[in-house]
Amino acid sequence: MLDLSSNFLSGEIPPTFSKLIRLEILNISHNHLSGRIPGSFSSLISLVSSDFSYNYLTGPIPVGITFQNALASPFVGNPGLCGNASGVIPCKRSTKKNNSVLFLVIGLVCGLLVLATTTFIILMLCHYKFKVVNVESNRSHQNDSTPESLIWEGEGKFTFGEIVEATEDFDDKYRIGKGGFGTVYKAILSSGRVLAVKRLDISDTSDQIPELSQISFQNEIRTLTEVRHRNIIKLHAFCSRKGSMYLVYQYAKRGSLAKVLYGSNRGAEDLDWDLRVRIAEGLAAAISYLHHDCSPPIVHRDVSLNNVLLDWDFVPKLSDFGTARLLSPDSSNWTGLAGSYGYMAPELAYTMRVTEKCDVYSFGVVALEIMMGRHPGEFLESLSDNRELLLKDVLDQRLLPPSGKLSAAVVLVVSIALACTRTAPESRPTMRYVAQELFTRSGAFLLEPLMTASIDTLDIPNKPGQDINCDLNH
């Protein structure tokens, strides 16, 4: 028997589990596992019971009596799974063509295409997982003296020329945002695919940005495109052109959390207490992944309300996680671009050194802002003089106070946020601990009820030693 349920596990299921030939019961439910259930699990002939429910698994259920005849309950909470199990959607099957002549024609055409492109592709990709595409624009950019370069991830093909055409050469009418790192444009390609393109104008920055070689850029982009997490915006590609850098991201339909939270009263109503708790939980999971599950670890440097994007179903997506690495990948010191005003850790004023604890502080500010419905700057500055202030009076007054288990979750979020905004960096918890506490909510029952809790009673003690590595892949 192997029971790993509710352990905040992430990553893919190790295929080596299939070597447990005497395993009879397997339970890995209620985690953050992703990817496919390994097909080699079909060889587990002694397996009589399994539970993969409430993860982020995708793809077909393995063949075999144990899996194909199972009820739906072992697979619920994984909308990407398919197969013959009861209650699970069938997998789509491609139609088989029996016409041998048609197969021959298709084979010949594919063979010619492969032969024409194999030499070029092998030379460019022999040491890389991603495609490096060199494009020289002769139509709309004849004055460029250097070729455009793009690094693509393997999920889709599109050219920089398509992006230029979709945005009419980055016309202002396609601009959807502007921040400290650059301007963001919305690009709808002819295929219907929607992308967010961030243009970084180096000449506009006050700091001297070091000139990196093409190889260094490729290494950085390859590292960032490998970052895959449900709550992190996907970085698809990079391009340099006319002294500017372009980052191509996944598009989030609802825009930034700041836009939704402050856009209108309707926005506040859309973000009910349950969604706010889930957004804080997802954001914590994303930062924890960057700090503890990436190699080398990635410090975001600019966690703020504007850099948290919302998908159509309000799933939070942390953005701009790679911009700082691209602009200065070998430096832990950051002066002009260390974060957004109001979210920066206080120690940056005298150390000028960016660490994981700076992200922890910024997360605490964002979490408080989500719960308060306003920036907590004045609240944090006067915290020492308002320790008896009741929590219910601090929360967003546009919503009715939460009740039941939800109120306990809100109290927990505020408590952890206060711990994250402690002045001394060493007294702040790690993001792994924060994410695990928010996910399990194991400490919620230890806190005072919402209606009587004061700020003084919410200052949870520091708990070193509870930061446990729960990643299956490490």
Side-chain angles (χ1 to χ4, degrees):
M1 175 178 176
L2 180 59
D3 187 354
L4 299 174
S5 60
S6 301
N7 268 313
F8 202 63
L9 305 178
S10 62
E12 297 184 353
I13 302 174
T16 51
F17 278 8
S18 60
K19 296 181 180 180
L20 304 174
I21 58 177
R22 297 185 179 180
L23 182 64
E24 296 181 354
I25 300 175
L26 173 63
N27 187 352
I28 54 177
S29 63
H30 294 84
N31 286 296
H32 282 174
L33 297 173
S34 59
R36 294 172 175 249
I37 301 175
S40 57
F41 276 26
S42 301
S43 63
L44 295 174
I45 57 177
S46 62
L47 191 65
V48 296
S49 174
S50 59
D51 192 348
F52 301 89
S53 60
Y54 298 103
N55 283 287
Y56 304 110
L57 300 174
T58 58
I61 297 171
V63 297
I65 299 177
T66 302
F67 298 94
Q68 298 299 325
N69 295 337
L71 298 177
S73 55
F75 307 109
V76 297
N78 296 285
L81 285 179
C82 64
N84 295 330
S86 175
V88 179
I89 60 173
C91 296
K92 295 181 179 179
R93 297 181 179 179
S94 58
T95 304
K96 295 183 178 179
K97 298 178 175 62
N98 297 319
N99 193 324
S100 58
V101 177
L102 182 59
F103 273 123
L104 179 60
V105 173
I106 294 176
L108 289 174
V109 173
C110 291
L112 291 174
L113 291 175
V114 170
L115 183 62
T117 57
T118 296
T119 303
F120 173 77
I121 293 178
I122 289 178
L123 290 175
M124 300 302 290
L125 299 183
C126 58
H127 296 294
Y128 296 96
K129 293 167 59 179
F130 305 96
K131 300 178 182 179
V132 180
V133 183
N134 292 325
V135 180
E136 293 190 12
S137 178
N138 297 319
R139 178 175 56 183
S140 58
H141 307 291
Q142 295 180 354
N143 295 327
D144 289 355
S145 58
T146 59
E148 301 166 0
S149 60
L150 289 157
I151 299 177
W152 303 113
E153 48 106 13
E155 295 179 355
K157 296 179 181 179
F158 50 88
T159 66
F160 186 73
E162 290 181 79
I163 295 175
V164 172
E165 182 179 357
T167 59
E168 298 181 31
D169 201 9
F170 300 97
D171 191 276
D172 281 347
K173 66 183 179 182
Y174 296 98
R175 188 175 67 182
I176 58 175
K178 185 174 179 63
F181 284 127
T183 307
V184 183
Y185 300 86
K186 179 180 179 181
I188 305 178
L189 306 184
S190 58
S191 63
R193 188 173 187 179
V194 184
L195 301 169
V197 184
K198 172 160 287 191
R199 181 174 67 185
L200 308 176
D201 296 316
I202 298 178
S203 59
D204 291 342
T205 59
S206 58
D207 298 280
Q208 184 177 358
I209 306 299
E211 183 178 355
L212 300 179
S213 67
Q214 184 67 25
I215 298 299
S216 298
F217 270 128
Q218 291 176 7
N219 291 336
E220 287 300 319
I221 294 296
R222 184 172 61 175
T223 299
L224 297 177
T225 52
E226 288 176 348
V227 173
R228 295 177 182 270
H229 191 278
R230 180 173 184 261
N231 300 114
I232 295 179
I233 209 76
K234 182 72 179 101
L235 174 61
H236 291 298
F238 161 82
C239 176
S240 60
R241 168 178 173 261
K242 288 185 176 180
S244 295
M245 294 184 286
Y246 296 84
L247 301 177
V248 184
Y249 289 101
Q250 168 192 3
Y251 177 72
K253 294 183 179 179
R254 290 191 182 270
S256 71
L257 177 57
K259 175 182 176 182
V260 177
L261 187 62
Y262 297 128
S264 63
N265 290 330
R266 176 67 181 176
E269 295 173 2
D270 288 340
L271 290 178
D272 58 25
W273 291 117
D274 181 62
L275 278 176
R276 297 188 190 207
V277 171
R278 291 180 180 274
I279 289 172
E281 177 186 318
L283 178 59
I287 305 174
S288 174
Y289 175 85
L290 294 177
H291 288 186
H292 303 286
D293 296 311
C294 289
S295 181
I298 297 176
V299 179
H300 188 284
R301 304 171 185 249
D302 192 21
V303 177
S304 66
L305 215 64
N306 283 320
N307 284 334
V308 179
L309 307 181
L310 297 179
D311 211 339
W312 188 251
D313 53 357
F314 291 96
V315 173
K317 305 279 186 178
L318 182 61
S319 69
D320 264 355
F321 65 94
T323 305
R325 281 182 60 87
L326 284 175
L327 294 180
S328 187
D330 299 323
S331 175
S332 61
N333 296 320
W334 198 259
T335 55
L337 298 174
S340 300
Y341 180 76
Y343 299 90
M344 291 182 287
E347 64 269 17
L348 284 175
Y350 52 88
T351 66
M352 306 303 292
R353 180 175 177 82
V354 179
T355 67
E356 288 90 343
K357 295 297 184 179
C358 297
D359 283 353
V360 175
Y361 182 90
S362 300
F363 166 80
V365 176
V366 171
L368 286 174
E369 189 168 3
I370 293 172
M371 294 300 157
M372 296 172 60
R374 64 184 186 279
H375 190 275
E378 294 183 3
F379 167 75
L380 291 174
E381 290 178 0
S382 60
L383 195 58
S384 59
D385 300 326
N386 292 284
R387 305 295 297 182
E388 300 303 321
L389 187 66
L390 293 178
L391 174 58
K392 68 180 182 65
D393 297 328
V394 174
L395 297 179
D396 194 338
Q397 301 299 306
R398 294 174 294 179
L399 299 179
L400 294 175
S403 58
K405 292 183 179 180
L406 189 55
S407 67
V410 170
V411 174
L412 179 65
V413 171
V414 176
S415 300
I416 291 178
L418 289 173
C420 291
T421 54
R422 290 171 179 152
T423 303
E426 63 275 7
S427 67
R428 300 169 196 155
T430 65
M431 285 310 303
R432 169 164 284 159
Y433 172 79
V434 170
Q436 187 171 0
E437 285 295 301
L438 292 178
F439 180 72
T440 62
R441 302 182 186 178
S442 58
F445 69 95
L446 298 174
L447 301 170
E448 281 199 28
L450 171 65
M451 302 308 291
T452 59
S454 66
I455 300 302
D456 189 55
T457 60
L458 294 181
D459 192 6
I460 61 175
N462 199 22
K463 299 180 179 180
Q466 294 193 17
D467 183 25
I468 302 172
N469 187 347
C470 296
D471 193 340
L472 268 177
N473 295 325
H474 289 73

